[in-house]
Amino acid sequence: MFRLYSIHHRAGTMTLHLSSSVLETIGRTPLVALDRLTSGLPGRIFAKLEFLTAGMSIKDRMALEIIEQAEQSGRLKPGQPVVELTSGNAGTGLAIVCAVKGYRFIAVMSEGNSIERARMMSALGAEVVLVPQVTGVPGQVSGVDLEAVDRATAEIVKKLGAFRVDQFNNPDNRAVHMKTTAAEIWEQTGGEFDFYTAIAGSGGSFGGITAFIKQHNPAIQCLLIEPATAPFLAQGRVIDPNHKIQGVGYAMPLPLIDLTQVDDFLTVTDDEATQAARRLAKSEGIFAGFSSGANIAGALKLAAGAKPGQVVVTTINDSGLKYLSTDLWEGFSRSNLLTDLNTSEHKTEK
């Protein structure tokens, strides 16, 4: 609950809103027009900055909603441990919620996910269980790897009598994005946009946002992005389920998405996702991760083929800070400007 405080100064009285915990900062993220990125294209892209929240990802909304709904229903009891399989973002959100509410939290994660995520969860008080990869490809977590994590999660839940979040099947995951994320997008755009596109992880955000859009304006096109080598939901040929776009594109059924509400599918390669994330950082100053790069790559394809002035809405799912150990941000080089300037000065003096 917000507390109001009034501060008096020469210019008048200013009212400050004091939150009782960091949980009150989750949600209400800005929507930004990426007009520098889309310069020269007929369409525009509006991106919802979901990394500007407590755990720096879109999963924070789901984490808070599921825990609070479980508390209210009695499925989660005081002192009961909380367990969930995660690629890192859901686990970070849950670690924050559990830290504030006083629950023991165990995050079960594939070794293939970036180490920054595991370290962040651990710093927030989570116990992180790393499950060896089935595929053995670092940075590329497939549906087979996720199945191994799922088995380990089920075993821990059984032994501890824990509450399992079950983000891939829990309807609260979808519901929170209908009542918050989608509602915010609708308010921020006035309902005036033409396309919504995103890649799916658990399916909660895509399923919830799409359901809201179709209720309010079925004419808005909703397009689901998948990795180019694993277009499973589009019923395409899965050539290789291993890809670099962490936390999404598992090439498996996603119960939280109603495929009848999906107007079409897009595919994005690892390189397209990587290059789009890098362009986003350099042109818009938005430092995001792999899945956000995939979203932007898909949105750019739509903007390129759109009618003049049409708008594509997508989400920036998490921060690029969670991928510094990966090749997403390799290629840093130290500037030689100071040396060059000094050399130039010496030449001038001569």
Side-chain angles (χ1 to χ4, degrees), residues 1 43 52 58-59 78 109 151 191 193 199 208 222 247 295 330 348:
M1 180 178 181
L52 294 179
I58 196 169
K59 296 286 188 176
M109 177 178 171
R151 289 192 295 271
F193 60 100
I199 197 166
C222 296
N295 285 355
E330 69 181 1
T348 302

Side-chain angles (χ1 to χ4, degrees), residues 204-257:
S205 60
F206 186 92
I209 293 171
T210 296
F212 182 100
I213 289 171
K214 291 303 182 183
Q215 283 182 8
H216 288 75
N217 185 356
I220 295 174
Q221 299 285 292
C222 296
L223 297 95
L224 179 58
I225 300 170
E226 293 189 278
T229 59
F232 177 87
L233 297 171
Q235 298 184 349
R237 183 185 172 196
V238 179
I239 300 170
D240 184 359
N242 300 311
H243 54 83
K244 293 182 179 180
I245 311 172
Q246 294 185 29
V248 293
Y250 290 118
M252 57 184 278
L254 297 176
L256 299 180
I257 295 178

Side-chain angles (χ1 to χ4, degrees), residues 238-280:
V238 179
I239 300 170
D240 184 359
N242 300 311
H243 54 83
K244 293 182 179 180
I245 311 172
Q246 294 185 29
V248 293
Y250 290 118
M252 57 184 278
L254 297 176
L256 299 180
I257 295 178
D258 181 354
L259 292 177
T260 66
Q261 296 180 326
V262 179
D263 295 292
D264 206 348
F265 295 85
L266 297 172
T267 58
V268 169
T269 66
D270 288 349
D271 186 62
E272 286 174 330
T274 299
Q275 295 307 318
R278 292 174 180 176
R279 285 183 60 195
L280 181 68

Side-chain angles (χ1 to χ4, degrees), residues 75-156:
R75 288 173 291 140
L76 175 59
K77 298 173 177 58
Q80 187 178 12
V82 175
V83 178
E84 180 61 342
L85 64 80
T86 176
S87 66
N89 281 334
T92 299
L94 287 163
I96 290 169
V97 175
C98 289
V100 172
K101 290 179 172 288
Y103 294 104
R104 178 188 180 189
F105 174 58
I106 299 98
V108 191
M109 177 178 171
S110 171
E111 285 184 337
N113 291 117
S114 63
I115 193 63
E116 288 89 348
R117 299 185 182 200
R119 288 174 176 169
M120 189 170 181
M121 288 187 288
S122 180
L124 290 164
E127 299 169 47
V128 181
V129 177
L130 294 178
V131 178
Q133 281 189 271
V134 176
T135 60
V137 183
Q140 299 180 22
V141 179
S142 67
V144 176
D145 293 316
L146 196 66
E147 289 172 3
V149 178
D150 181 70
R151 289 192 295 271
T153 303
E155 183 179 349
I156 293 170

Side-chain angles (χ1 to χ4, degrees), residues 179-195:
K179 71 181 182 182
T180 66
T181 322
E184 290 169 23
I185 289 171
W186 198 260
E187 180 182 2
Q188 289 164 326
T189 61
E192 297 294 326
F193 60 100
D194 303 279
F195 305 94

Side-chain angles (χ1 to χ4, degrees), residues 148-167:
V149 178
D150 181 70
R151 289 192 295 271
T153 303
E155 183 179 349
I156 293 170
V157 168
K158 184 177 180 180
K159 287 183 177 179
L160 296 180
F163 169 74
R164 180 171 180 174
V165 170
D166 197 17
Q167 61 177 303

